[in-house]
C-alpha cells in the first residue's frame, strides 16, 4: 500500500464557484483528494458534480476559488493543462475514436514518433513501440482479453472499451484519475470488472475520483464519499461511518452531518 | 488475426459468422476491397466482351495504347480526389475543388503569358516557374479560406464550399475574362506535366507519375503520422478527439489548407493534360472527385476509408468511360453506370458500418 503519512491532499479545491448565467453550478465548494484513495463523489442531479469535475479536469474554468495539485496552485485552461499535471479523466461519453485501433486510441493526442530522421523529418510514428507499450499497459491492468492490439475499438464490447479508456487514463504516469460514471452504460459483469480495475489502479498507488449514481458500487470501492448538494460539499463520510440510506438523506438535504462526524482526513 | 485466447468477443463472433458476416468484417477492415472487386469485375467483363465475343471495338481495350491513354486520363480526377478524400475523412465535403483548381490554373497561365484579355495584364509575363509557384500559393490560400470559414465561424463545409465554388468561379471570369489560353501560347515549363516517356509498352506522362507519388506520400501521411491519425479521429468523433487532447479546429483548418496545396498541383497537371488553361475544363469535376472517393469505399460520414480505395475509384470511372465507349454505347450509359455504382457504394458503406462485436 502506498498510503502516505502526509496529510497533504494530492488534489485540493478551495471555495470554487461557477455560475452559468443565473444558474449556480458551484457555490464556494471545497474538495480534497488524498494520495492513494478512491474518493466517490455523489449527489443529486444539478448538485454540481459535473461542474466540479470539469473544473478539476480543466474542461471548465471556475469563476473564483483556488485549486492545488500536490500543494501547488494551478489554473487549468484546457484538459491538456490538467493532463500535464498528471490528472487524467475518463468521460462518461467514452472519449475513444471507434475506427482507430486500441494502441492508436491509447496514444491518441500523444503519439510516439520514431527516433532519428524518420521521426524528426518524416514525422513517422513508432507503431511497433506504441503497440508493445499498449499491450504492456493493458496487461498490467489485467484487461488484455482483446484479440489483438490492432483491433479497431468499435469491435469491442462496452466493457472492453471502458477498459481501454481507463487504461489510457492510467498509462501515462498519471497521479490522479477521474472517472465519470464509468459503469453507467455497462452490464453487471462488465461493471464488476471495471470496479476491479479501479481497485487495481488504487493498488498501483493512483488516486481516484469516482463519480457515480450507483450506491452499492460506491460503497464497494470508495474509501471516502464526498456528498455534493446545491453546489457545495454537504459532507464527507465513509462507507463504514454511514449507511447507504443515510448518504441518500444527506444528498437530498434530509440529514446533515456535523463536521466532527465527517471524515475530512485520509483513511488510508 | 489468429489468437490463442479461448473466448474473446471476436472469437465468438468468428464462430457464428456466416459468409456474409465474414465479407462484412473483411470489408470493414479493408474498405478498398470493394472497389478492387468492382474494378476486377469490369476488366473481366470488358475482356470477355472484347477478346472472346468481339463486341464493338472492345478488342482494343487491352492494347498498350488504350491502357496508356486510360492511365493519363486519370490524372485530373485522380489528383483532385486526394484532396477530396482527406476532406471527406473529416466528415466534410469540398464542393469548391473544381472551382479553385480552375482559378489556380487560370492564375498560373495568365501570369506566364502576355495577354490583352485578362484584367491582370499588369502582372503578366512572369517567369513560368514563379507563375506556377504563385498559382500553388493561390490554391493554398483558397483552401485556407475554406478552412478559416469552417473553423472560425462553425459553418458546415457543404455551405462554405458551395459559396466558395461560386466565388472562385466568378473570380475566374472577372479576373481572366473567360479566355482560354492555348498550350502553344505558354512557356514550356507550364506544360512540363505533359512530358511523355516510355516505360515498357506503356507511355506515361510526368503528371501521372506526380499523381502516383502524391498517392504514396498521402497514404503514408494518413496512416503513418500523428496528423493522419488525428484526421481519422476528428472525422470519426470530434468530441472524443477534443477530449483526447487533439486540437480539432487546427486539424480541420490544416486539412483544407493541405487540400488547397493538392488542388494547386492538380491545376498545373491539368494545364499539361489539356494543353490549355480554360475556365470550362472539366465542368463535372467536383462530382467526379466525390464519386471516386465514395466508390473507393471512403465513408461520407467521416473517419473511414483509405486513399488506395480512391485511386481504385478513379480507375473505375475511367475504365467504365473507355470500356462503354469502345463497346459502342452512348455516353449516357456511362453516366447511368456511375450513378448506380455511387448508390451501391454508399449502401455497402452503411452495411459495413453496422459491424459490431
Amino acid at each position: 500500500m502506498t498510503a502516505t503519512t502526509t496529510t497533504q491532499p494530492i488534489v485540493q479545491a478551495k471555495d470554487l464557484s461557477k455560475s452559468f448565467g443565473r444558474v449556480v453550478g458551484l457555490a464556494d465548494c471545497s474538495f480534497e483528494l488524498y494520495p492513494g484513495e478512491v474518493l466517490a463523489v455523489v449527489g443529486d442531479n444539478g448538485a454540481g458534480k459535473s461542474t466540479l469535475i470539469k473544473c478539476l479536469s480543466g474542461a471548465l474554468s471556475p469563476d473564483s476559488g483556488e485549486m492545488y495539485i500536490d500543494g501547488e496552485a494551478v489554473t487549468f485552461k484546457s484538459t491538456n493543462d490538467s493532463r500535464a499535471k498528471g490528472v487524467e479523466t475518463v468521460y462518461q461519453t467514452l472519449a475513444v475514436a471507434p475506427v482507430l485501433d486500441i494502441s492508436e486510441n491509447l496514444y491518441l493526442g500523444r503519439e510516439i514518433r520514431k527516433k532519428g530522421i524518420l521521426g524528426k523529418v518524416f514525422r513517422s510514428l513508432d507503431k511497433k513501440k506504441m503497440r508493445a507499450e499498449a499491450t504492456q499497459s493493458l496487461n498490467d491492468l489485467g484487461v488484455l482479453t482483446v484479440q489483438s492490439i490492432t483491433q479497431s475499438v468499435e469491435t469491442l464490447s462496452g466493457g472492453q472499451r471502458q477498459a481501454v479508456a481507463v487504461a489510457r487514463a492510467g498509462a501515462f504516469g498519471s497521479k490522479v484519475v477521474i472517472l465519470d460514471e464509468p459503469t453507467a452504460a455497462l452490464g453487471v459483469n462488465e461493471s464488476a470488472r471495471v470496479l476491479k480495475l479501479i481497485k487495481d489502479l488504487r493498488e498501483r498507488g493512483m488516486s481516484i475520483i469516482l463519480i457515480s449514481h450507483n450506491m452499492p458500487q460506491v460503497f464497494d470501492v470508495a474509501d471516502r464519499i464526498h456528498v455534493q448538494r446545491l453546489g457545495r460539499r454537504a459532507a464527507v463520510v465513509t462507507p463504514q461511518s454511514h449507511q447507504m440510506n443515510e448518504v441518500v438523506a444527506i444528498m437530498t438535504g434530509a440529514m446533515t452531518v456535523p463536521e466532527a462526524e465527517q471524515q475530512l482526513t485520509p483513511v488510508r | 488475426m489468429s489468437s490463442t485466447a479461448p473466448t474473446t468477443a471476436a472469437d465468438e463472433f468468428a464462430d457464428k459468422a456466416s459468409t456474409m458476416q465474414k465479407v462484412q468484417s473483411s470489408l470493414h477492415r479493408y474498405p478498398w476491397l470493394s472497389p478492387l472487386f468492382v474494378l476486377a469485375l469490369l476488366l473481366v467483363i470488358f475482356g470477355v466482351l472484347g477478346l472472346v465475343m468481339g463486341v464493338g471495338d472492345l478488342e482494343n481495350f487491352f492494347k498498350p495504347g488504350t491502357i496508356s491513354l486510360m492511365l493519363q486520363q486519370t490524372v485530373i480526377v485522380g489528383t483532385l480526389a486526394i484532396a477530396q478524400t482527406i476532406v471527406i475523412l473529416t466528415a466534410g465535403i469540398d464542393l469548391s475543388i473544381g472551382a479553385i483548381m480552375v482559378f489556380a490554373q487560370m492564375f498560373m497561365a495568365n501570369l506566364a503569358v502576355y495577354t490583352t484579355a485578362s484584367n491582370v495584364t499588369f502582372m503578366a509575363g512572369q517567369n513560368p516557374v514563379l507563375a506556377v509557384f504563385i498559382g500553388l500559393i493561390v490554391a493554398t490560400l483558397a483552401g485556407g479560406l475554406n478552412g478559416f470559414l469552417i473553423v472560425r465561424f462553425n459553418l458546415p463545409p457543404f455551405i462554405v464550399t458551395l459559396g466558395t465554388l461560386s466565388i472562385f468561379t466568378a473570380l475566374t471570369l472577372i479576373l481572366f475574362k473567360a479566355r482560354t489560353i492555348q498550350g502553344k501560347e505558354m512557356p514550356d515549363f507550364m506544360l512540363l506535366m505533359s512530358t511523355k516517356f516510355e516505360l515498357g509498352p506503356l507511355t506515361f506522362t510526368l503528371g501521372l507519375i506526380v499523381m502516383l507519388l502524391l498517392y504514396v506520400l498521402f497514404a503514408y501521411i494518413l496512416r503513418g503520422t500523428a496528423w493522419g491519425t488525428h484526421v481519422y479521429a476528428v472525422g470519426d468523433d470530434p468530441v472524443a478527439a477534443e477530449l483526447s487532447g487533439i486540437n480539432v479546429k487546427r486539424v480541420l483548418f490544416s486539412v483544407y489548407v493541405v487540400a488547397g496545396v493538392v488542388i494547386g498541383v492538380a491545376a498545373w497537371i491539368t494545364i499539361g493534360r489539356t494543353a490549355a488553361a480554360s475556365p470550362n475544363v472539366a465542368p463535372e469535376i467536383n462530382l467526379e472527385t466525390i464519386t471516386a472517393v465514395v466508390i473507393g469505399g471512403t465513408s461520407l460520414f467521416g473517419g473511414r476509408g483509405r486513399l488506395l480505395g480512391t485511386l481504385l475509384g478513379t480507375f473505375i470511372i475511367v475504365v467504365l468511360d473507355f470500356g462503354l465507349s469502345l463497346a459502342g454505347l452512348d455516353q449516357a450509359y456511362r453516366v447511368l453506370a456511375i450513378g448506380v455504382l455511387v448508390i451501391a457504394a454508399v449502401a455497402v458503406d452503411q452495411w459495413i458500418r453496422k459491424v459490431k462485436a
Side-chain angles (χ1 to χ4, degrees):
Chain A
M1 201 62 14
T2 53
T4 50
T5 48
T6 173
T7 49
Q8 164 124 298
I10 189 159
V11 178
Q12 186 176 22
K14 281 183 188 163
D15 303 329
L16 281 191
S17 295
K18 176 77 185 174
S19 312
F20 305 93
R22 294 166 65 186
V23 179
V24 176
L26 288 177
D28 293 332
C29 182
S30 294
F31 177 89
E32 286 105 29
L33 173 74
Y34 290 98
E37 71 170 351
V38 175
L39 177 72
V41 176
V42 299
D44 209 351
N45 290 333
K49 292 185 308 260
S50 297
T51 313
L52 173 64
I53 289 330
K54 281 180 179 161
C55 288
L56 295 177
S57 68
L60 281 178
S61 296
D63 297 334
S64 63
E66 293 111 52
M67 294 192 293
Y68 303 89
I69 305 286
D70 270 338
E72 179 197 348
V74 290
T75 42
F76 295 149
K77 289 201 174 55
S78 75
T79 50
N80 282 344
D81 293 349
S82 65
R83 210 169 273 167
K85 294 283 179 193
V87 179
E88 289 279 341
T89 310
V90 178
Y91 298 90
Q92 192 176 359
T93 48
L94 283 187
V96 289
V99 297
L100 298 180
D101 71 28
I102 295 168
S103 87
E104 283 172 329
N105 261 293
L106 277 176
Y107 285 90
L108 193 57
R110 49 191 144 197
E111 290 82 358
I112 304 175
R113 290 205 189 84
K114 280 186 185 147
K115 293 214 161 27
I117 196 163
L118 271 175
K120 286 212 176 70
V121 179
F122 296 99
R123 321 296 286 172
S124 184
L125 291 178
D126 198 341
K127 291 194 176 178
K128 218 167 160 184
K129 187 172 175 193
M130 291 199 287
R131 281 170 192 161
E133 291 187 3
T135 311
Q136 184 62 42
S137 48
L138 286 181
N139 267 331
D140 286 351
L141 290 171
V143 292
L144 196 77
T145 53
V146 292
Q147 196 178 18
S148 140
I149 204 81
T150 58
Q151 202 175 340
S152 72
V153 164
E154 66 197 334
T155 62
L156 301 178
S157 68
Q160 287 173 321
R161 285 187 203 200
Q162 189 63 266
V164 170
V166 174
R168 177 168 68 184
F172 294 96
S174 54
K175 297 181 283 194
V176 177
V177 177
I178 303 173
L179 295 154
D180 188 3
E181 300 271 1
T183 58
L186 302 183
V188 176
N189 287 337
E190 293 189 319
S191 295
R193 299 201 49 199
V194 170
L195 294 180
K196 167 98 170 42
L197 202 52
I198 294 172
K199 291 175 183 166
D200 288 348
L201 286 177
R202 176 173 60 193
E203 296 307 308
R204 295 168 71 197
M206 252 170 235
S207 317
I208 292 151
I209 303 171
L210 170 70
I211 298 99
S212 182
H213 270 107
N214 188 317
M215 283 298 161
Q217 291 180 3
V218 166
F219 272 72
D220 180 8
V221 297
D223 297 307
R224 298 189 305 138
I225 303 167
H226 169 124
V227 187
Q228 186 79 9
R229 176 172 156 71
L230 300 176
R232 297 194 155 76
R233 179 167 68 184
V236 181
V237 298
T238 68
Q240 290 75 37
S241 69
H242 289 75
Q243 305 280 323
M244 278 187 215
N245 54 356
E246 291 174 313
V247 171
V248 174
I250 302 169
M251 271 166 63
T252 55
M255 177 180 166
T256 51
V257 186
E259 201 152 308
E261 289 174 30
Q262 295 190 23
Q263 185 66 51
L264 294 168
T265 50
V267 292
R268 292 177 80 89
Chain B
M1 286 289 291
S2 69
S3 168
T4 50
T7 49
T8 66
D11 283 346
E12 284 163 26
F13 174 78
D15 288 341
K16 283 180 278 177
S18 66
T19 315
M20 282 312 273
Q21 280 170 319
K22 277 177 191 157
V23 170
Q24 190 183 20
S25 70
S26 311
L27 287 178
H28 183 257
R29 211 173 163 86
Y30 308 105
W32 42 267
L33 276 178
S34 43
L36 186 66
F37 174 74
V38 171
L39 184 61
L41 190 69
L42 284 177
L43 293 177
V44 169
I45 290 173
F46 289 139
V48 169
L49 288 178
L51 303 176
V52 182
M53 299 166 72
V55 174
D57 295 323
L58 264 180
E59 56 185 335
N60 294 328
F61 188 84
F62 291 98
K63 293 205 168 137
T66 315
I67 293 173
S68 300
L69 210 56
M70 281 196 285
L71 285 172
Q72 291 168 27
Q73 187 73 20
T74 61
V75 290
I76 303 176
V77 179
T79 310
L80 289 173
I82 296 174
Q84 192 69 273
T85 306
I86 303 172
V87 169
I88 287 181
L89 278 176
T90 65
I93 194 137
D94 194 342
L95 301 175
S96 66
I97 276 185
I100 294 176
M101 188 274 280
V102 168
F103 185 66
Q105 65 149 358
M106 292 299 281
F107 217 110
M108 290 177 188
N110 276 284
L111 288 184
V113 300
Y114 288 101
T115 165
T116 51
S118 93
N119 281 328
V120 292
T121 45
F122 65 94
M123 286 169 69
Q126 302 290 336
N127 179 318
V129 180
L130 186 66
V132 168
F133 182 72
I134 292 175
L136 281 173
I137 300 285
V138 165
T140 308
L141 290 176
L145 176 67
N146 280 336
F148 174 75
L149 293 172
I150 289 162
V151 168
R152 180 69 182 76
F153 301 108
N154 253 327
L155 299 172
F158 185 92
I159 297 301
V160 167
T161 57
L162 189 63
T164 49
L165 159 67
S166 295
I167 290 170
F168 285 107
T169 305
L171 279 179
T172 304
L173 298 178
I174 292 166
L175 289 180
F176 310 118
K177 293 189 176 168
R179 179 179 168 270
T180 297
I181 296 174
Q182 299 300 334
K184 55 181 181 291
E185 296 176 61
M186 288 186 247
D188 286 346
F189 183 77
M190 300 302 293
L191 302 166
L192 185 70
M193 288 293 142
S194 65
T195 311
K196 287 191 168 64
F197 54 91
E198 310 281 326
L199 214 69
L202 300 176
T203 311
F204 284 65
T205 59
L206 192 57
L208 178 63
I209 301 297
V210 169
M211 178 191 88
L212 293 175
L213 286 178
L214 282 177
Y215 268 95
V216 173
L217 174 69
F218 278 98
Y220 164 73
I221 288 176
L222 283 174
R223 298 301 298 164
T225 71
W227 186 79
T229 313
H230 295 174
V231 168
Y232 278 92
V234 166
D236 192 24
D237 187 343
V239 177
E242 189 79 57
L243 291 174
S244 301
I246 294 173
N247 189 334
V248 170
K249 293 193 164 206
R250 198 163 65 195
V251 171
L252 275 181
F253 178 71
S254 66
V255 158
Y256 286 90
V257 171
V258 168
V261 176
V262 176
I263 296 168
V265 177
W268 191 22
I269 291 176
T270 304
I271 294 178
R273 172 72 197 136
T274 56
S278 159
N280 307 316
V281 66
E284 288 172 11
I285 196 75
N286 280 328
L287 289 179
E288 283 187 5
T289 59
I290 297 169
T291 303
V293 174
V294 170
I295 293 178
T298 294
S299 170
L300 286 173
F301 303 99
R304 199 181 305 271
R306 294 283 184 273
L307 212 49
L308 176 59
T310 300
L311 185 61
L312 293 170
T314 308
F315 285 154
I316 288 172
I317 294 177
V318 174
V319 163
L320 258 182
D321 211 359
F322 273 72
L324 293 181
S325 78
L326 285 175
L329 286 173
D330 193 85
Q331 169 79 5
Y333 286 95
R334 175 245 178 190
V335 178
L336 182 80
I338 295 281
V340 172
L341 270 182
V342 167
I343 293 172
V346 176
V348 168
D349 174 52
Q350 290 288 40
W351 180 57
I352 293 171
R353 290 168 74 86
K354 293 204 189 94
V355 166
K356 285 278 152 11

